[in-house]
Amino acid sequence: MAVCDTLVIMGGGVMGRGMARLFAKAGMRVTLVDVRDIDFVHPGVTLAHEPPGEPVPDLVIEAVFEDRDVKQSVFARIEACYGGRPVLATNTSGLPLDELGASLTYPHRFLAMHFYQPADLFPLIEVVRGARTEDSAMAVAEAAVRRAGREPIVLQRAVNGYLINRLQHSILHEAYHLLESGIATAETIDKVAKLLLGPRMCITGLLEQKDLAGLEMHAQAQRSIVPTLSHTGVPSAYLQDMVARGDVGVGSGRGFYDWHGRDGAAVQRRAAARLERLLAYLQKDEAE
Ligand SMILES: NC(=O)c1ccc[n+]([C@@H]2O[C@H](COP(=O)([O-])OP(=O)(O)OC[C@H]3O[C@@H](n4cnc5c(N)ncnc54)[C@H](O)[C@@H]3O)[C@@H](O)[C@H]2O)c1
């Protein structure tokens, strides 16, 4: 049976720190490597500027900047240190997995482990097989996820965005279209997400809910609604323009909402605490 005891995380930013907390809490030996000096202390986590020579880790997770060249230079460093002994996982959100791994010497050890932010909160972690990943590498990544008390969502082939971001982006793309067209406000769209779609998905998911409701009416609605959805095939210009003019959300004071004079950090903290309580409730409720 695959085991995962020692872990090296490359990149001690937002995601790397969350992963370090998660795996150290599960009793794994974790080294968090960053080129910068980082201010992070957690029992069971050793900080370093370079991957340690010994022991050879079972798993290396790369969580550096979302930049192909930076990631590939980290992969080369890891292969130079350890050869093909550890499993090498990337946490990329959007870079195509097989292109990212194209220059590897040991592509059979390479896969993606995709965490959501905060990395130590959500119960599910995507584990994605690359074109040449061997079964034993998948087994080590899945063992690490299970050891941390999380559930692996296994994808047997890499698709851009994996499963969760594909679903999320398809609904957001339509939301931007409705907003841009003046059909609904940001407040209205978020109210529907918070009080209708979100709660219903928490209980019966997407597909089970359709089975429960019966598929005839749903198939009919697909025939009339799908042709009218926003099928642009390009990123939303509305969103790209916002970012180009510096309206990037809480950080700049303006995004879909006006954040001037509001304590964005307090809103984020409250949201994280509420999410934690909701997930605890849902997991308990699901188990009953
Ligand atoms: N933030 C999110 O919500 C989120 C969610 C899922 C996936 N991701 C992905 O996770 C990865 C990391 O994202 P993040 O938000 O933690 O980024 P971040 O900018 O917070 O952290 C990146 C860290 O990598 C370090 N770094 C850069 N080059 C390095 C190198 N050669 N060796 C070691 N460390 C190096 C940087 O100093 C920095 O501390 C990205 O690929 C991102 O797409 C992010």
Side-chain angles (χ1 to χ4, degrees):
M1 205 176 85
V3 288
C4 189
D5 292 322
T6 45
L7 171 66
V8 168
I9 299 168
M10 298 298 293
V14 178
M15 297 307 289
R17 292 172 202 213
M19 293 172 196
R21 280 192 297 271
L22 175 71
F23 290 111
K25 268 188 228 156
M28 283 167 61
R29 196 162 153 185
V30 178
T31 306
L32 184 58
V33 180
D34 202 298
V35 284
R36 300 178 300 145
D37 287 327
I38 57 168
D39 182 19
F40 179 79
V41 182
H42 194 282
V45 179
T46 306
L47 298 184
H49 288 302
E50 287 288 333
E54 291 290 332
V56 174
D58 299 308
L59 174 65
V60 177
I61 305 179
E62 168 281 305
V64 301
F65 301 132
E66 186 76 344
D67 178 288
R68 184 193 166 114
D69 292 342
V70 177
K71 287 185 186 293
Q72 287 183 334
S73 74
V74 168
F75 300 162
R77 180 89 188 89
I78 293 300
E79 290 195 326
C81 280
Y82 306 122
R85 286 173 290 172
V87 171
L88 174 57
T90 175
N91 184 44
T92 181
S93 296
L95 299 170
L97 184 63
D98 292 321
E99 281 175 34
L100 200 55
S103 58
L104 288 169
T105 309
Y106 307 99
H108 56 290
R109 305 298 284 161
F110 181 63
L111 48 79
M113 287 175 76
H114 192 234
F115 296 73
Y116 279 77
Q117 147 74 347
D120 52 341
L121 178 64
F122 286 104
L124 308 177
I125 297 165
E126 288 172 305
V127 178
V128 185
R129 190 189 283 273
R132 297 168 69 185
T133 315
E134 65 189 6
D135 289 348
S136 63
M138 291 293 285
V140 170
E142 289 175 50
V145 170
R146 290 214 167 84
R147 178 161 176 181
R150 302 301 192 255
E151 198 178 322
I153 296 297
V154 177
L155 300 194
Q156 295 295 356
R157 187 166 65 81
V159 278
N160 201 13
Y162 313 130
L163 175 60
I164 303 171
N165 271 337
R166 286 183 84 87
L167 294 175
Q168 183 165 246
H169 277 270
S170 62
I171 199 164
L172 279 170
H173 195 63
E174 182 60 29
Y176 300 146
H177 165 67
L178 294 171
L179 198 54
E180 182 179 19
S181 314
I183 293 168
T185 63
E187 288 83 355
T188 305
I189 291 169
D190 278 348
K191 185 157 284 185
V192 166
K194 287 180 193 177
L195 295 181
L196 200 153
L197 293 174
R200 196 166 72 178
M201 282 188 206
C202 283
I203 308 299
T204 47
L206 280 171
L207 304 178
E208 185 184 339
Q209 196 275 327
K210 293 298 157 215
D211 264 1
L212 292 172
L215 296 182
E216 296 91 336
M217 215 169 68
H218 175 58
Q220 192 184 40
Q222 272 252 312
R223 290 197 292 276
S224 69
I225 295 172
V226 169
T228 70
L229 294 176
S230 176
H231 298 284
T232 59
V234 290
S236 159
Y238 182 78
L239 175 73
Q240 302 298 321
D241 289 349
M242 279 175 67
V243 173
R245 64 174 180 265
D247 292 343
V248 294
V250 171
S252 69
R254 186 177 296 280
F256 297 110
Y257 296 92
D258 184 357
W259 292 93
H260 290 104
R262 293 173 65 194
D263 185 350
V267 175
Q268 277 165 343
R269 277 196 301 277
R270 181 162 181 264
R274 292 178 73 201
L275 189 59
E276 199 166 351
R277 289 202 300 275
L278 178 66
L279 284 169
Y281 168 77
L282 288 170
Q283 281 167 300
K284 186 168 167 283
D285 188 58
E286 184 89 6
E288 278 168 6

